[in-house]
């Protein structure tokens, strides 16, 4: 959630200031964090926590964890 908040702030600042440089920085920030999470942080977490982390990763979205709760609420209302 912290990284998502920083990304949202960068995007918002880029939009409100009309600065393409900040927009490019937001894109670089997003891509850089995706690479870091996928190739550095997540393999370390799998080594450290094993199957528990794999299950967690399967059930919790990377960028906006609260979306899983929203999806469950929507499914209940449709039933």
């Amino acid at each position: 959630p912290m990284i998502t908040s920083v990304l949202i702030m960068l995007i918002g600042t880029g939009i409100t200031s009309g600065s393409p440089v900040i927009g490019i920085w937001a894109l670089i920030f997003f891509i850089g964090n995706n690479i870091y999470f996928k190739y550095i942080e997540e393999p370390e977490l799998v080594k450290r926590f094993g199957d528990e982390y794999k299950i967690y990763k399967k059930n919790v979205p990377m960028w906006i964890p609260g979306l899983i709760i929203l999806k469950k609420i929507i499914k209940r209302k449709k039933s």
Side-chain angles (χ1 to χ4, degrees), residues 3 6-8 10-11 19-37 63:
I3 298 296
V6 172
L7 181 61
I8 291 168
L10 285 171
I11 292 168
S19 172
V21 173
I22 296 174
I24 292 168
W25 169 235
L27 182 62
I28 292 168
F29 181 81
F30 178 75
I31 292 169
N33 276 289
N34 270 309
I35 291 168
Y36 172 76
F37 293 148
W63 283 94

Side-chain angles (χ1 to χ4, degrees), residues 7-78:
L7 181 61
I8 291 168
M9 286 190 303
L10 285 171
I11 292 168
T13 302
I15 290 169
T16 57
S17 69
S19 172
V21 173
I22 296 174
I24 292 168
W25 169 235
L27 182 62
I28 292 168
F29 181 81
F30 178 75
I31 292 169
N33 276 289
N34 270 309
I35 291 168
Y36 172 76
F37 293 148
K38 184 170 179 124
Y39 297 107
I40 297 171
E41 186 175 60
E42 287 188 347
E44 288 298 318
L45 291 169
V46 170
K47 283 181 197 173
R48 186 172 180 186
F49 298 107
D51 289 337
E52 284 183 56
Y53 181 72
K54 289 179 185 178
I55 293 167
Y56 170 82
K57 188 173 125 175
K58 183 179 177 183
N59 291 301
V60 178
M62 181 190 305
W63 283 94
I64 307 175
L67 282 181
I68 198 80
I69 296 168
L70 183 60
K71 286 179 183 178
K72 288 179 182 179
I73 291 169
I74 291 169
K75 276 186 180 180
R76 286 183 192 155
K77 287 186 177 186
K78 286 183 178 178

